[in-house]
Amino acid sequence: MRSRVLLATVATVGLLASGCGSAKTSEAQPGAGNASASTKTTEATKKMDMSSMDMGSAARPSAPAKMICSADIRDAVRRSFALSSMPAAKPSWSKSDRVYSCTYRLQGANLALSVQDSLDKAKGRTYFDALQQRVPGAKKIRGMGSFGFPSFETSSGNVVFLKDGKTLRVDASALPASALPSGFSRQEAAFSVASAVIACWSE
């Protein structure tokens, strides 16, 4: 199953890696094309550099953090969950712990995205490591599924990545089975959305 999700992810990366805000005219098709998933994924992630983005301040979230509620990620959620329309997204910002959150309501339950928006890469790594220790059942994502970044996932539906001090968490654990894409687990659905955010962190 993970190979199918990765192939769908490669299609998503291809749509988004050139920069969020670009027009999207087609749906991601799992397994499309003949090039290997590992080659396409590596080429896309090599381009990812957030150095030119607004990285935030003590009082406000960064541009990468706010992307989890952007039109591009709303569309990625729509595609990942095969929705007939764009989902509503509710953002929130906790200045005290620098966590920017975006909640998507799917069939009466929450798909929760968040970014711990550290302004310091070392502190961001410390936060990521501590989170990995306290999340039950956390397992490192290995191989091309990690996109070369520190990351972990849980069978309950959490997927977490660290990039440039920013800890992205996608939590699909509250979703009912009826809200998931056909044949996907919560973990796989969360990975699909997380990969879209990672692709969006490319400008």
Side-chain angles (χ1 to χ4, degrees):
M1 174 63 74
R2 173 51 65 83
S3 61
R4 187 180 79 175
V5 177
L6 278 170
L7 286 169
T9 295
V10 167
T12 299
V13 169
L15 286 171
L16 295 177
S18 60
C20 287
S22 59
K24 290 176 285 294
T25 58
S26 62
E27 299 291 321
Q29 297 295 328
N34 295 320
S36 71
S38 59
T39 299
K40 286 187 176 182
T41 302
T42 300
E43 289 175 351
T45 54
K46 278 180 180 177
K47 300 176 182 179
M48 295 182 183
D49 180 9
M50 295 196 292
S51 61
S52 63
M53 294 183 186
D54 175 2
M55 298 302 278
S57 70
R60 57 181 172 78
S62 67
K66 291 190 288 185
M67 279 183 181
I68 62 174
C69 253
S70 68
D72 295 273
I73 301 307
R74 287 177 63 206
D75 190 56
V77 171
R78 179 188 67 80
R79 286 184 285 106
S80 292
F81 287 86
L83 304 176
S84 59
S85 61
M86 292 280 274
K90 183 179 180 181
S92 64
W93 167 241
S94 174
K95 180 179 175 181
S96 60
D97 54 5
R98 294 197 57 79
V99 173
Y100 185 86
S101 303
C102 188
T103 302
Y104 294 86
R105 290 290 287 178
L106 304 178
Q107 294 194 15
N110 289 341
L111 171 67
L113 279 64
S114 65
V115 175
Q116 200 287 324
D117 196 25
S118 179
L119 298 174
D120 179 274
K121 289 184 180 181
K123 290 180 179 178
R125 183 60 196 243
T126 297
Y127 177 90
F128 173 88
D129 290 342
L131 181 63
Q132 186 173 1
Q133 289 296 317
R134 68 174 183 267
V135 171
K139 294 183 179 180
K140 289 183 179 180
I141 299 175
R142 302 186 184 279
M144 67 181 183
S146 72
F147 300 107
F149 303 126
S151 53
F152 66 87
E153 60 189 350
T154 71
S155 59
S156 64
N158 279 267
V159 174
V160 180
F161 283 90
L162 173 69
K163 186 176 188 300
D164 293 343
K166 314 296 184 184
T167 297
L168 165 70
R169 182 176 185 176
V170 179
D171 183 356
S173 62
L175 296 180
S178 59
L180 300 174
S182 178
F184 275 49
S185 68
R186 293 174 181 85
Q187 180 181 359
E188 290 158 346
F191 179 85
S192 179
V193 174
S195 70
V197 178
I198 291 296
C200 221
W201 284 356
S202 60
E203 293 182 337

